[in-house]
Amino acid sequence: MKTNTLCSFLLSGALFVLFPAPSVTAQTLAYDATVDFSVTKGNPNGVWSYGWMPSGFGPLNLFTTALNPGNGNPQWAGWYYDNSPTIWRNLGPLAYGVPTGWLSLHPGPGQEPAVLRWTAPTSGSVKLEGQFLPGDGGTMQVAVRLNGQPWWSDSDAGTFALHTNVQAGATIDFAVYGGYWYGNTPLAVTISIPALRLDLARDGTTNIVTFTPPAEGTYVLQFTDSLAPPIPWTDLSTNSLAADQFFRFVHSPGSSLGFYRCRRD
């Protein structure tokens, strides 16, 4: 995603800076389960997957039946006569305890969890904010699970604000389970990954590069004076850093044009 048309690009988690540029900050990656919801873009849909699990949790089974793609309430439907387990979005007036615009998760007839899954597209520090509403008349269990393990849970409803470091490919599941009758349970959640920050100042022929990582890890600062493939990246420094730990590197490249990136190993 382009962050500054004059001097920087964010590609695959690495920030490229053309000097002599001023301080540059990459954009935070942000995801909204409600805004991103779709039954026309496949399943998975980018970072989001829609499915169900056996009672007691287990492998995620992706929904394959999409309903109402062009009108009505878009829905990923399960196998039971009432389309449960299911995940759908209410585009009409309040119905089954689901406010207008909200997603709803409904368990299966055997209390099988309905599961919304987010898969981390890159490593980093992840922040979650969200809420389950009571929804319809039944009392369900609600949970957030990290890599298949319990992380947060409540009975019927609850608000959560969570933070952790993840590796690319990590999964975060939002589940409604433990009941069936009158089980519609609204969910809203946003997830953000603060992007790598790389700042650049220039003093004569010397570049002063500073880097603030969003998560603990090993980071390699690299430089090239050409983006012609194959790009000849040169390692300048390798450092094990804590989250938000300030790192400073002084470099005299000997050329008037160049690019830096900071890669996480």
Side-chain angles (χ1 to χ4, degrees), residues 46-65:
V47 297
W48 300 106
S49 302
Y50 313 101
W52 62 278
M53 292 180 178
S55 299
F57 298 100
L60 180 67
N61 301 284
L62 297 179
F63 293 125
T64 58
T65 301

Side-chain angles (χ1 to χ4, degrees), residues 81-106:
Y81 77 92
D82 61 357
N83 297 322
S84 68
T86 185
I87 300 176
W88 61 285
R89 186 179 181 190
N90 183 17
L91 299 183
L94 176 71
Y96 309 108
V98 182
T100 301
W102 281 66
L103 292 182
S104 178
L105 281 66
H106 192 302

